[in-house]
Amino acid sequence: GAGVSQSPRYKVAKRGQDVALRCDPISGHVSLFWYQQALGQGPEFLTYFQNEAQLDKSGLPSDRFFAERPEGSVSTLKIQRTQQEDSAVYLCASSPGQGAINEQFFGPGTRLTVL
Amino acid sequence: GQQLNQSPQSMFIQEGEDVSMNCTSSSIFNTWLWYKQEPGEGPVLLIALYKAGELTSNGRLTAQFGITRKDSFLNISASIPSDVGIYFCAGRNPPASGTYKYIFGTGTRLKVLA
């Protein structure tokens, strides 16, 4: 497809389990962002990649959160030892630019529920 | 985390009415974006603003970049039922701060009554 895709769309995890969320950005897009969106809130920045380099991870809430983009395309957000407060929709966005980053195109998100 | 203040939080309007919403920040931004999000989907970009005072239209939507650079406004004219959704503003700090991240607003939930 032409847009950003994310998988799985829904994930239910038991507290303490590890999860991995995948993002396939638009082909050729240099920039990739991960956001966390809690119920009834706006998206909150987690981390940013320019190609394979993670330039900003200031939004990751704890060291249980880890993101990678090893070949500058597909990205994975991993959450270790999930907690109930990790329940949210995780959105991925990509952008064609690097220096002048403006328009971000979002995927549909992965809804994570931690029981 | 930091979120921008959006007003109103929600609104019910009659089809055909005009809608206004705004977004305020405590810090200066050099870019403002307005998104619409529908249930189960990611936000979709509506309008992008790059310059203080800029007024930009996209069909029935018009957005303005406030001259103080700390606020932005979105207007929807002659609303229709498919305008239903959550509207988010997002602002980005000047590049000199070294950040590429956008700060999003809390959202305005719009419901249109036919």
Side-chain angles (χ1 to χ4, degrees):
Chain A
V4 177
S5 61
Q6 293 185 244
S7 61
R9 289 294 310 274
Y10 302 91
K11 177 70 179 177
V12 178
K14 291 184 180 177
R15 190 164 60 93
Q17 281 185 333
D18 298 349
V19 298
L21 313 180
R22 177 187 169 107
C23 172
D24 285 83
I26 294 173
S27 178
H29 276 197
V30 168
S31 300
L32 186 145
F33 299 78
W34 283 99
Y35 291 86
Q36 181 189 60
Q37 186 175 24
L39 188 64
Q41 299 294 317
E44 289 196 37
F45 171 84
L46 293 176
T47 187
Y48 161 67
F49 289 87
Q50 182 175 305
N51 295 307
E52 68 279 2
Q54 189 174 19
L55 298 188
D56 188 342
K57 52 182 181 180
S58 62
L60 296 176
S62 77
D63 59 8
R64 296 185 296 104
F65 287 71
F66 172 76
E68 60 183 5
R69 194 187 185 198
E71 298 178 359
S73 178
V74 171
S75 178
T76 303
L77 176 67
K78 297 179 180 177
I79 309 173
Q80 297 177 323
R81 304 181 304 281
T82 52
Q83 304 293 316
Q84 285 188 322
E85 62 262 28
D86 300 334
S87 296
V89 174
Y90 290 86
L91 295 165
C92 174
S94 71
S95 174
Q98 38 188 345
I101 301 168
N102 292 307
E103 299 187 25
Q104 298 180 23
F105 298 87
F106 281 84
T110 295
R111 180 177 295 278
L112 173 65
T113 303
V114 181
L115 303 177
Chain B
Q2 180 188 1
Q3 295 222 307
L4 306 177
N5 291 319
Q6 281 189 246
S7 178
Q9 285 188 336
S10 63
M11 54 196 314
F12 287 80
I13 61 167
Q14 292 287 338
E15 183 178 358
E17 287 184 349
D18 296 345
V19 175
S20 293
M21 61 189 77
N22 67 73
C23 185
T24 60
S25 168
S26 58
S27 55
I28 291 172
F29 289 137
N30 72 336
T31 303
W32 282 97
L33 306 178
W34 283 93
Y35 285 90
K36 179 187 178 186
Q37 186 175 28
E38 298 186 26
E41 300 296 327
V44 174
L45 183 67
L46 300 174
I47 292 180
L49 302 161
Y50 305 118
K51 190 174 165 184
E54 180 181 356
L55 190 71
T56 298
S57 293
N58 178 8
R60 294 179 295 105
L61 277 61
T62 301
Q64 184 163 24
F65 193 140
I67 56 173
T68 66
R69 295 171 63 192
K70 292 183 176 182
D71 54 12
S72 181
F73 309 89
L74 177 69
N75 295 309
I76 305 173
S77 62
S79 57
I80 59 178
S82 62
D83 289 334
V84 165
I86 305 175
Y87 291 79
F88 289 104
C89 62
R92 185 165 71 97
N93 292 317
S97 66
T99 180
Y100 297 94
K101 64 184 179 186
Y102 280 93
I103 309 298
F104 277 76
T106 49
T108 292
R109 286 144 188 81
L110 178 64
K111 296 194 177 180
V112 180
L113 306 174

